[in-house]
Amino acid sequence: MPTTTTTTLRFALLVTCASGFLDSYTFLVRGGVFANVQTGNVIFFFINLSEQHYADAVARIWPIVAFLLGVTLSTHIKTGRLDSVVTHPIRWTMGIQALSLAAIGFVPETVPHMYVTVPISFMAAMQIELFRSIGDLNYMVVATTGNLMHTVESAYGVLTTGSETSKRALAVYSKVIGSFFVGAAVGAFATEWLGVHAAWLPAGFLAVTLAFFILDERDTSSGPDEDAGHGATAV
C-alpha cells in the first residue's frame, strides 16, 4: 500500500492534537458539549424528549445532521469523483477547515452555540471518514476510546509474543493517544486564557498539514499524488 500524506504519523498526530483541543474548547466556551462525537447528542436528544424539553431536543438534532452530511461529503471525496472538478480535494478540505476554525475564533460567546458546534461536528465527521489509518494501522482521529483499545491489544502482544509488529503498533498508538491528551490539555489552558479566540490554535494546526502535502510532493515528485488514494485503504 503506498504511503500518502494523510497516512503518515506526523499528519495523524497533528490532526488528533487539534481534535483533543477542540473537545476542551467546545466544552469550556461553546455550551459544555463535545462537538467532535455524537454519542452525547443522541443520548441528550432522547433525554430532552422524555422530559418534554422539545426545543432542547431539536437543538441536539442539528449537530447530528451536520455529522451525517460530513460523512456523506467525505465518502463522495473518497470515491474520487471530485478529482476531475477540484484539484487536490484533500488539501482543499484541510484548508477550508482551517479557515472555518479561524472564523469561529471571531464568533462571540454570546452567539448561540449551535452556530459553532454544528460546523465543528461537520468537520469532525469528515476527518473520521477521511483519515482512518497510519500506514497499515487503523486509528480514530477525533476520539481516544478506540485508540486506547488498540494500545492495550498491542501491549498484550508485546508481553505475550514480543513481536516487532506489536511493538511498532504500541509505539504508534501511544503517540496518537499522547497527542490527543496534549491537545486536550493545551486546549483547556489556551481556552481559559484566550476564550473563544483559542480556536485560532487548532486552525493553525490544520494549516500546517497543508505544508506536509507540499513537502511530501517534493519528496515523491515522481511518485503518486499525495492527494491520491483517498479510498478506504489509503485513509
Side-chain angles (χ1 to χ4, degrees):
M1 181 180 67
T3 298
T4 62
T5 297
T6 58
T7 63
T8 60
L9 179 59
R10 60 180 181 177
F11 182 93
L13 294 181
L14 201 56
V15 177
T16 303
C17 184
S19 296
F21 190 111
L22 285 172
D23 269 345
S24 292
Y25 174 78
T26 56
F27 184 82
L28 290 173
V29 295
R30 299 301 188 180
V33 300
F34 298 113
N36 282 338
V37 290
Q38 298 305 309
T39 304
N41 283 325
V42 172
I43 293 171
F44 281 119
F45 171 74
F46 288 106
I47 289 176
N48 294 149
L49 280 182
S50 68
E51 296 176 345
Q52 299 182 359
H53 296 160
Y54 300 118
D56 292 335
V58 170
R60 299 289 179 180
I61 291 177
W62 298 117
I64 298 173
V65 171
F67 188 90
L68 296 175
L69 290 175
V71 171
T72 302
L73 176 58
S74 55
T75 300
H76 187 60
I77 291 174
K78 285 168 59 176
T79 65
R81 292 189 176 95
L82 285 182
D83 292 2
S84 60
V85 179
V86 179
T87 304
H88 304 308
I90 302 295
R91 300 187 201 186
W92 276 103
T93 297
M94 301 309 295
I96 291 172
Q97 290 188 9
L99 290 174
S100 298
L101 288 177
I104 284 172
F106 289 101
V107 178
E109 195 171 351
T110 53
V111 170
H113 297 306
M114 65 172 294
Y115 290 108
V116 170
T117 57
V118 167
I120 290 178
S121 295
F122 181 83
M123 289 184 279
M126 294 199 68
Q127 291 180 5
I128 289 173
E129 184 66 23
L130 289 173
F131 313 132
R132 294 185 179 184
S133 64
I134 303 169
D136 58 349
L137 299 174
N138 294 323
Y139 80 111
M140 177 65 74
V141 67
V142 302
T144 196
T145 303
N147 299 329
L148 284 170
M149 180 186 69
H150 290 310
T151 301
V152 173
E153 291 172 344
S154 302
Y156 180 82
V158 172
L159 292 174
T160 56
T161 67
S163 72
E164 292 302 317
T165 299
S166 295
K167 290 179 181 179
R168 181 176 66 86
L170 178 60
V172 169
Y173 286 123
S174 296
K175 291 175 182 177
V176 171
I177 290 172
S179 179
F180 189 90
F181 287 177
V182 168
V186 172
F189 286 107
T191 303
E192 291 287 354
W193 178 39
L194 297 173
V196 297
H197 304 313
W200 295 335
L201 292 179
F205 297 165
L206 298 187
V208 171
T209 65
L210 296 176
F212 293 167
F213 288 100
I214 297 172
L215 293 173
D216 291 341
E217 186 178 65
R218 291 176 179 175
D219 293 339
T220 59
S221 57
S222 60
D225 190 333
E226 290 298 315
D227 268 276
H230 33 267
T233 59
V235 296

